[in-house]
């Protein structure tokens, strides 16, 4: 039996991202289908979620352009007999595709867990806080979540936590100021609007 230390799992995730990029459109579509749970999505509904997912993780896979590959991805899934597309453009998952789609969706579990933790903690911020202090708080809470098996060790990534905060800033959830009283200016974040709750965060990614 091979056991990988938590630190090793995190380092392996760095290299895994490079490999995931080659199939990231298939992964995004698998996640898209998972968000609908027991309902049957239409092609337009699936495309909207597909783009929402790619926007959420844009920093992790920054070279990815979702708008040009959605139709191609659907055609690829149909060719594999993983899904069917009816005349009214509703999508159904075939038994042949169930396992593959589930496994593809799991590929980004660490990313989703990282972002979900940041969004959750950020939603309770009522006073300005330095970015460094906030990241330390997230790192501490994520360590406790790993101990209680609520978080995968490779999800505890300061880089991904930082990326999630950058995403929230881009959405206008934070204003950024700098405290210049110290030798090195300190970046201060102030939450100015509600933190969104992406559809991925409500799923079970086990």
């Amino acid at each position: 039996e091979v056991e990988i230390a938590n630190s090793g799992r995190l380092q392996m995730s760095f290299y895994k991202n490079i490999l995931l990029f080659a199939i990231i459109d298939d992964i995004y579509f698998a996640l898209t289908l998972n968000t609908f749970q027991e309902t049957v999505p239409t092609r337009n509904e699936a495309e909207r979620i597909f783009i929402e997912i790619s926007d959420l993780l844009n920093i992790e896979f920054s070279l990815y352009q979702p708008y040009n590959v959605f139709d191609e991805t659907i055609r690829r899934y149909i060719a594999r007999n993983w899904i069917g597309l009816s005349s009214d453009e509703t999508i159904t998952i075939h038994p042949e595709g169930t396992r593959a789609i589930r496994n593809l969706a799991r590929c980004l579990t660490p990313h989703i867990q990282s972002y979900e933790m940041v969004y959750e903690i950020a939603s309770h911020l009522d006073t300005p806080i330095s970015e460094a202090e906030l990241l330390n708080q997230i790192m501490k809470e994520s360590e406790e979540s790993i101990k209680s098996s609520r978080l995968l060790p490779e999800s505890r990534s300061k880089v991904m936590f930082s990326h999630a905060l950058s995403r929230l800033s881009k959405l206008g959830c934070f204003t950024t100021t700098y405290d210049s009283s110290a030798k090195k200016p300190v970046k201060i974040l102030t939450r100015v609007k509600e933190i969104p709750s992406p559809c991925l965060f409500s799923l079970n990614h086990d």
Side-chain angles (χ1 to χ4, degrees), residues 51 54 64 85 100-101 130 137 168 174 185 195:
I51 292 172
S54 64
Y64 185 72
L85 186 64
I101 290 168
S130 75
Q137 177 185 339
L168 289 174
F174 292 127
I195 302 297

Side-chain angles (χ1 to χ4, degrees), residues 68-84:
N68 301 322
V69 299
F70 181 77
D71 288 338
E72 181 182 334
T73 305
I74 282 189
R75 286 195 294 270
R76 190 162 56 248
Y77 268 57
I78 292 173
R80 295 169 181 159
N81 201 32
W82 288 0
I83 65 168

Side-chain angles (χ1 to χ4, degrees), residues 21 23-33 35 45-70 73 108 111-112 115 119 163 167 170-171 198-201:
F21 189 82
I23 57 169
I24 196 63
D25 44 358
D26 279 357
I27 295 172
Y28 283 166
F29 193 61
L31 283 168
T32 295
L33 295 175
T35 64
E45 290 170 338
E47 184 175 25
R48 177 179 58 82
I49 298 299
F50 183 91
I51 292 172
E52 178 184 322
I53 292 169
S54 64
D55 284 345
L56 174 68
L57 298 174
N58 177 259
I59 298 177
E60 308 300 329
F61 303 98
S62 59
L63 298 178
Y64 185 72
Q65 298 295 328
Y67 302 95
N68 301 322
V69 299
F70 181 77
T73 305
L108 295 185
H111 302 72
I112 297 167
Y115 275 59
Y119 277 46
H163 288 172
R167 175 65 183 163
K170 186 177 180 180
L171 291 173
C199 57
L200 285 180
F201 292 175

Side-chain angles (χ1 to χ4, degrees), residues 164-184:
L165 289 176
S166 296
R167 175 65 183 163
L168 289 174
S169 294
K170 186 177 180 180
L171 291 173
C173 297
F174 292 127
T175 57
T176 302
T177 56
Y178 290 88
D179 181 357
S180 301
S181 60
K183 290 183 178 180
K184 183 179 179 180

Side-chain angles (χ1 to χ4, degrees), residues 76-141:
R76 190 162 56 248
Y77 268 57
I78 292 173
R80 295 169 181 159
N81 201 32
W82 288 0
I83 65 168
L85 186 64
S86 67
S87 58
D88 63 355
E89 293 207 314
T90 57
I91 299 170
T92 54
I93 299 175
H94 292 165
E96 296 86 344
T98 302
R99 183 177 179 182
I101 290 168
R102 183 174 62 246
N103 289 338
L104 282 168
R106 287 174 175 168
C107 290
L108 295 185
T109 297
H111 302 72
I112 297 167
Q113 287 187 345
S114 292
Y115 275 59
E116 185 169 9
M117 169 152 279
V118 171
Y119 277 46
E120 170 64 22
I121 292 174
S123 69
H124 295 97
L125 293 178
D126 296 320
T127 57
I129 186 172
S130 75
E131 184 178 56
E133 183 181 350
L134 178 54
L135 282 171
N136 287 337
Q137 177 185 339
I138 296 168
M139 290 295 287
K140 183 177 180 180
E141 292 195 25

